[in-house]
Amino acid sequence: MKLICIGRNYTEHIKELNNEKPTNPVIFIKPDTAILLKKQPFFIPDFSNDVHHEVEVLVKINKVGKHIDKKFAHKYYSDISVGIDFTARDVQQQLKEKGLPWEKAKSFDGAAVIGNWLPKSDFKDVDNLNFSLKKNDVLVQNGETSHMLYKIDEIIEYVSKYFTLKIGDIIFTGTPAGVSKVDPNDKLVGFLEDKQLFSINVK
Ligand code: MG
């Protein structure tokens, strides 16, 4: 399985990193080895001094698809969650400056936190959800899926032009503003609406 991630999907986050607003979704992929195993702490890798949390809404693909029209995209996922796209910002900055791919900054072991899944039918409208991240009990990121530049169904349409979506693939839909460095002993807790879906200790 693969993790398909969207970058630059929230205007306020684009501004905080001084990036340009994309004319198409920005896509990158993490391998399954990036998944942080359940109940494991996140270990800050020794090649970075500036790993950031990026809380994101996730959807899990439940059916094989290619060239999916956005009208039908809602049929390709039934579960939704939140997770973290951990990013070695210092490494990413160097790669960006050289126009190189981001994998070393974003796809290393443990760089993908996946929360507990909920049926999307628990919610009235996936394009109108609040999600958030608390670091050491302080709210640091607070997003609304209604603020996505590319909505979930548009993302599925776009990425499935390039990649066959397979059962179990997970889409990371981008982070809102409020990213910041994580330090040893931080505790990161993610929420979708009022439901706590993960809790991670940083080492
Ligand atoms: Mg991200």
Side-chain angles (χ1 to χ4, degrees):
M1 58 86 72
K2 56 191 174 294
L3 312 173
I4 301 172
C5 308
I6 304 301
R8 304 181 188 171
N9 205 22
Y10 289 84
T11 304
E12 294 303 313
H13 172 63
I14 293 170
K15 284 190 199 157
E16 74 181 344
L17 294 186
N18 291 317
N19 284 320
E20 271 177 36
K21 209 166 175 170
T23 48
N24 280 307
V26 173
I27 307 176
F28 58 95
I29 285 187
K30 301 193 191 220
D32 57 6
T33 46
I35 295 170
L36 186 66
L37 297 177
K38 286 269 181 248
K39 305 209 159 86
Q40 293 297 306
F42 172 73
F43 287 93
I44 298 171
D46 58 8
F47 53 77
S48 176
N49 293 311
D50 194 23
V51 172
H52 282 192
H53 55 75
E54 296 190 354
V55 71
E56 313 202 354
V57 168
L58 317 181
V59 297
K60 183 157 67 177
I61 298 299
N62 62 6
K63 163 154 103 155
V64 175
K66 172 91 176 168
H67 294 301
I68 300 164
D69 190 287
K70 73 175 178 216
K71 288 201 293 289
F72 304 115
H74 66 277
K75 297 176 187 242
Y76 286 79
Y77 67 100
S78 47
D79 290 334
I80 188 161
S81 188
V82 286
I84 297 179
D85 164 23
F86 275 120
T87 304
R89 195 71 70 201
D90 44 359
V91 177
Q92 187 194 28
Q93 191 54 36
Q94 290 168 8
L95 295 168
K96 276 163 70 175
E97 281 164 14
K98 294 183 178 156
L100 292 170
W102 297 353
E103 275 81 355
K104 289 197 289 185
K106 283 190 168 278
S107 302
F108 55 87
D109 289 2
V113 173
I114 296 167
N116 297 327
W117 295 98
L118 294 172
K120 75 173 179 206
S121 55
D122 281 6
F123 304 97
K124 225 165 76 187
D125 179 4
V126 296
D127 293 327
N128 198 6
L129 293 175
N130 172 261
F131 64 106
S132 60
L133 183 75
K134 285 184 178 173
K135 181 164 84 172
N136 307 328
D137 294 322
V138 176
L139 184 69
V140 286
Q141 288 192 273
N142 188 27
E144 303 289 337
T145 58
S146 59
H147 295 170
M148 286 182 185
L149 296 176
Y150 299 99
K151 301 288 188 274
I152 295 169
D153 290 353
E154 293 172 287
I155 292 170
I156 289 174
E157 177 178 74
Y158 188 79
V159 300
S160 71
K161 286 183 199 178
Y162 297 88
F163 313 118
T164 298
L165 299 183
K166 295 177 78 175
I167 295 168
D169 287 350
I170 294 170
I171 301 181
F172 282 63
T173 59
T175 198
V179 301
S180 67
K181 183 173 188 253
V182 297
D183 292 299
N185 304 316
D186 281 348
K187 185 179 172 196
L188 302 169
V189 181
F191 298 85
L192 184 60
E193 296 284 343
D194 58 349
K195 297 190 171 61
Q196 181 183 318
L197 299 186
F198 67 77
S199 175
I200 300 293
N201 294 311
V202 178
K203 301 272 182 196

